Amino acid sequence: MSGSFNDNVTEEIKSRCNIVDVIGQVVPLKRMGSNYKGVCPFHNEKTPSFVVSETKQIFTCFGCGATGDVFEFVRKYYNLDFPGTVEKLAKEYGVEYVSNYQKDSRKELYYQINREAATFFFKAFCQTKNPGLTYMLKRGIDPTTLKKFGIGYADGEWDSLYKYFMAKEIDVKILKELGLVSESKGKYYDKFRNRVMFPIINTRGKVIGFGGRAIDDAMPKYLNSPESPVFMKKNNLYGLNLSRQDISKENCAILVEGYMDVISLYQSGIRNVGASLGTALTENQAKMLRRYTKNIVLSYDADSAGQAAALRGIDILFKEGCKPKVLHVTDGKDPDEFVKKHGKDAFKKLVSQALGFVDYKISVLRKKYNLNSYEESIEFLEEAAIVLRQLSPIEADIHIKKLANEIKISENAIRLEINGNNTQEEQINHNYLDNREEKPTLDINSSILPVEKNLIKLIITDYKYYKLIIKNENAFKSNYGKKLFSVISSFYKEESELDIMKLQDSLEPDEMMVLSDIIDNVQLADKEEQILQESLNKIEVEDLTEKENSLLMRLSMADEEENQEIIKVLTEELMNLQRKKMERGK
């Protein structure tokens, strides 16, 4: 049961507390040999049959069969769930921890507060004449689109939002952590003032943060929420909550730089669009996009900063198995201006002309070197070879031929440059670049049991397996197994067809990793029925093993002189259990 918590926490609690002391607080115990006895608190009895072993740190009742360790006693006696049990013991014995339950509850509170703030800003934007609404209408955004994106307005007062939340008795520390208020010299004031507010909403429909655009000359022009337990820029994309279905439908995502670019393109009818929240594209964002399409078009500004961002972005996308392209707007500083001036079809034409991964990189290199110079042509070719080394042989062959024709050099010379000059030093540098940032990853194999992976794969494959597995209450024991099954069940309650994309959108990033691993790596190989039966058999055997261990524990604590009849009954039960296990192939 302790899978919900860091194992170190439960072990630390066990090391600090003595089960005799814990139970002795509520059950009068008398020492009897090496054990302690008392009247069982779980059923009515006059003759004590409740035994506590200090040596083994377990309890058992030979009357009602209750047995377990200190966690099981506290859970059962105080009628708590396991997180509540750990919390109680941790507090009593000075062990610090944060449970998943606490984190989830706190997250829900943060989401609720952000949603309240978004509603507050939206009402201020819609209900009275204000500079925010005037500004957005002047930018050509119509009321329907404004409502669709939940655009709001933070007024110019210093404490409107602060007073609103104080009236609701919300902890100001949380408001500060979410970046809704700031503090100076012990006084609190609104972080966002006289700004158009863009709520940032994740794919599960939760408001996770805000972007505020200054209406006057205040700096910075765009002010964003700080990172918080519910808002990490690297894990989210602006507008994806609205556009993900269009991205899947079009089999293409257009990634732009700003909120207004997303909104303008969306209003114009180009709805397969999102923005990377003012940061360089991250691996997590690339993984998120990859769930909907491989085809990503980066539409960044054409200046040097936009070009550098595009180069970084296509590398990250390529590494994640995407097919990235780059377009730079030819007339107008950004997609927002271009689409307003030229319309949807003209922008779509730009998208169709976007340069692929290799073509874009080569085009940037061409601008860097003078190809009329012999020395610079060699440098150009050396850098181009580095780009082509990343490709499959077939892809590389196509680009080698194209490059040879353009710079008037033999294909063999280019191939030699690509394949023949990988010195040891270069290889070391490549290895360094590949490994320079090692990120902690979720250990999938230890987070969910193999049998649970099989069952999850079965139930997302066909509803009929869900109907069979739901009958087994003990099928899922790990945190991730229980969570995935719970979310899948909520979808199957509505309809018998499972939308994998909606399922993915309903999960946290770590849960999504577990599901992706199951989808990608669990192979059923047309043996669904066999795998189902083997999995259910294994679960039954594990349940029998738990009961067997419980009986062995009770037998080990039975007093041979006083409990001969009980020992006989327990021994018969044990033999029956072991027989059942043997029938299951054990």
Side-chain angles (χ1 to χ4, degrees):
M1 292 185 75
S2 61
S4 304
F5 298 85
N6 186 311
D7 287 340
N8 291 336
V9 173
T10 53
E11 289 304 315
E12 180 69 13
I13 291 171
K14 285 182 178 180
S15 71
R16 293 194 188 189
C17 71
N18 185 324
I19 192 169
V20 175
D21 295 334
V22 173
I23 295 177
Q25 293 175 22
V26 292
V27 177
L29 297 174
K30 287 185 179 181
R31 191 174 189 96
M32 301 285 289
S34 61
N35 296 328
Y36 292 80
K37 277 192 174 182
V39 175
C40 179
F42 305 124
H43 79 290
N44 293 322
E45 65 173 9
K46 294 181 179 179
T47 303
S49 60
F50 183 81
V51 180
V52 182
S53 169
E54 187 170 26
T55 306
K56 298 175 182 177
Q57 289 292 299
I58 56 175
F59 74 90
T60 191
C61 175
F62 292 99
C64 67
T67 187
D69 61 8
V70 67
F71 292 103
E72 177 62 16
F73 179 84
V74 172
R75 184 195 69 78
K76 193 173 179 68
Y77 185 84
Y78 293 99
N79 194 27
L80 300 171
D81 57 10
F82 189 69
T85 301
V86 176
E87 181 179 3
K88 177 177 174 59
L89 287 170
K91 284 180 180 178
E92 289 179 1
Y93 289 91
V95 177
E96 292 187 9
Y97 83 101
V98 179
S99 72
N100 290 338
Y101 175 81
Q102 286 176 313
K103 287 190 283 188
D104 289 346
S105 297
R106 195 162 183 81
K107 275 188 175 182
E108 285 304 319
L109 175 61
Y110 286 11
Y111 290 138
Q112 186 178 343
I113 290 171
N114 274 337
R115 186 177 181 83
E116 282 277 341
T119 302
F120 178 87
F121 293 137
F122 182 74
K123 287 180 178 177
F125 187 75
C126 296
Q127 291 181 353
T128 58
K129 186 177 179 182
N130 62 83
L133 178 58
T134 302
Y135 172 82
M136 291 300 283
L137 292 175
K138 280 185 179 178
R139 290 288 300 263
I141 310 301
D142 62 48
T144 303
T145 305
L146 292 171
K147 184 177 181 180
K148 186 85 175 175
F149 282 87
I151 306 302
Y153 173 63
D155 64 35
E157 301 298 323
W158 281 81
D159 57 3
S160 298
L161 186 67
Y162 172 70
K163 285 181 177 177
Y164 173 79
F165 278 120
M166 288 304 97
K168 291 180 171 287
E169 299 182 347
I170 300 298
D171 186 349
V172 73
K173 290 179 182 177
I174 297 177
L175 300 178
K176 188 178 176 184
E177 190 175 0
L178 290 173
L180 294 170
V181 302
S182 298
E183 180 186 9
S184 178
K185 298 178 181 178
K187 292 186 177 181
Y188 294 96
Y189 56 93
D190 294 351
K191 183 182 181 74
F192 298 100
R193 301 183 305 280
N194 197 27
R195 290 178 180 268
V196 174
M197 297 300 294
F198 302 88
I200 301 165
I201 303 170
N202 68 16
T203 53
R204 288 175 291 125
K206 308 283 190 182
V207 181
I208 57 177
F210 296 90
R213 206 279 186 196
I215 297 169
D216 52 24
D217 296 327
M219 295 299 290
K221 183 162 74 171
Y222 280 95
L223 181 64
N224 294 315
S225 295
E227 299 223 328
S228 72
V230 297
F231 180 45
M232 286 179 281
K233 291 180 182 179
K234 68 178 183 179
N235 292 339
N236 294 279
L237 290 160
Y238 180 72
L240 197 61
N241 61 305
L242 296 176
S243 65
R244 65 191 189 281
Q245 291 180 336
D246 293 284
I247 288 171
S248 293
K249 183 180 176 183
E250 298 286 336
N251 195 21
C252 174
I254 300 168
L255 206 59
V256 295
E257 290 191 70
Y259 304 116
M260 289 301 300
D261 292 327
V262 172
I263 293 170
S264 289
L265 288 175
Y266 193 93
Q267 179 173 281
S268 74
I270 298 169
R271 298 189 168 175
N272 54 325
V273 62
S276 55
L277 295 171
T279 62
L281 188 70
T282 68
E283 289 179 11
N284 287 9
Q285 290 169 335
K287 284 184 173 74
M288 182 178 287
L289 287 168
R290 180 67 181 78
R291 286 156 49 185
Y292 305 102
T293 182
K294 289 183 180 179
N295 304 305
I296 318 293
V297 176
L298 300 181
S299 180
Y300 292 166
D301 290 350
D303 58 16
S304 58
Q307 187 179 93
L311 286 169
R312 286 194 303 270
I314 58 177
D315 278 340
I316 288 168
L317 289 164
F318 185 78
K319 184 179 176 184
E320 294 301 327
C322 296
K323 296 178 180 178
K325 292 185 176 182
V326 179
L327 78 81
H328 287 308
V329 173
T330 54
D331 184 13
K333 290 189 300 182
D334 50 41
D336 173 27
E337 290 185 9
F338 183 91
V339 78
K340 284 172 183 169
K341 186 174 181 180
H342 300 285
K344 169 185 174 182
D345 292 338
F347 190 84
K348 277 193 158 186
K349 187 176 180 181
L350 281 184
V351 172
S352 69
Q353 296 169 350
L355 291 176
F357 172 78
V358 177
D359 289 328
Y360 181 73
K361 284 200 157 193
I362 299 295
S363 74
V364 172
L365 288 177
R366 278 198 199 92
K367 295 172 186 175
K368 183 178 176 182
Y369 294 104
N370 176 11
L371 298 185
N372 293 320
S373 162
Y374 173 75
E375 290 81 4
E376 291 198 33
S377 292
I378 293 174
E379 291 179 37
F380 164 77
L381 184 56
E382 288 173 345
E383 287 207 47
I386 294 171
V387 176
L388 298 180
R389 279 185 201 127
Q390 301 175 61
L391 305 179
S392 68
I394 294 173
E395 289 175 314
D397 190 63
I398 293 169
H399 289 284
I400 286 168
K401 288 176 179 176
K402 186 190 293 187
L403 193 58
N405 185 55
E406 288 177 2
I407 64 175
K408 308 305 178 188
I409 193 168
S410 73
E411 292 179 26
N412 284 338
I414 298 174
R415 286 192 172 89
L416 281 171
E417 184 62 40
I418 293 170
N419 302 317
N421 287 338
N422 289 334
T423 64
Q424 186 176 5
E425 182 181 351
E426 283 179 325
Q427 192 60 48
I428 290 170
N429 287 337
H430 285 311
N431 290 341
Y432 167 71
L433 289 170
D434 289 340
N435 299 307
R436 61 189 168 183
E437 189 176 355
E438 294 186 6
K439 296 179 175 63
T441 56
L442 176 68
D443 184 355
I444 303 290
N445 292 328
S446 66
S447 63
I448 183 169
L449 301 173
V451 67
E452 294 178 333
K453 287 185 179 183
N454 289 339
L455 293 178
I456 292 293
K457 186 62 177 273
L458 285 165
I459 62 178
I460 64 176
T461 301
D462 197 314
Y463 177 64
K464 70 179 181 181
Y465 298 120
Y466 167 75
K467 289 194 293 182
L468 293 170
I469 293 167
I470 197 173
K471 296 174 184 177
N472 195 316
E473 296 178 358
N474 299 318
F476 299 96
K477 292 182 171 62
S478 73
N479 245 21
Y480 285 110
K482 289 177 182 177
K483 178 59 184 290
L484 290 176
F485 184 68
S486 173
V487 176
I488 292 168
S489 295
S490 68
F491 281 100
Y492 272 143
K493 284 175 184 175
E494 296 176 6
E495 51 187 308
S496 59
E497 290 293 324
L498 186 66
D499 187 328
I500 295 294
M501 199 168 293
K502 285 184 180 179
L503 171 61
Q504 291 171 328
D505 290 342
S506 301
L507 301 173
E508 296 288 351
D510 55 338
E511 296 159 357
M512 176 60 207
M513 284 175 63
V514 175
L515 179 63
S516 296
D517 175 68
I518 292 169
I519 293 171
D520 295 340
N521 299 318
V522 176
Q523 304 300 325
L524 300 175
D526 294 327
K527 296 180 179 179
E528 287 86 352
E529 302 296 335
Q530 179 185 335
I531 291 172
L532 174 66
Q533 196 54 54
E534 288 175 355
S535 298
L536 293 178
N537 281 348
K538 187 168 184 179
I539 290 167
E540 186 176 355
V541 168
E542 287 173 353
D543 288 342
L544 290 171
T545 300
E546 284 186 18
K547 292 175 182 176
E548 179 185 24
N549 291 336
S550 174
L551 285 170
L552 287 169
M553 184 189 301
R554 293 167 67 188
L555 277 167
S556 71
M557 295 174 66
D559 187 305
E560 290 187 16
E561 294 183 5
E562 295 182 15
N563 300 297
Q564 287 187 3
E565 187 60 36
I566 290 174
I567 290 172
K568 182 181 177 182
V569 172
L570 292 177
T571 302
E572 287 178 1
E573 284 186 37
L574 181 61
M575 290 174 66
N576 287 333
L577 277 174
Q578 291 172 337
R579 194 177 299 115
K580 285 183 181 179
K581 281 183 68 177
M582 288 181 66
E583 289 171 0
R584 296 293 180 270
K586 292 289 180 179

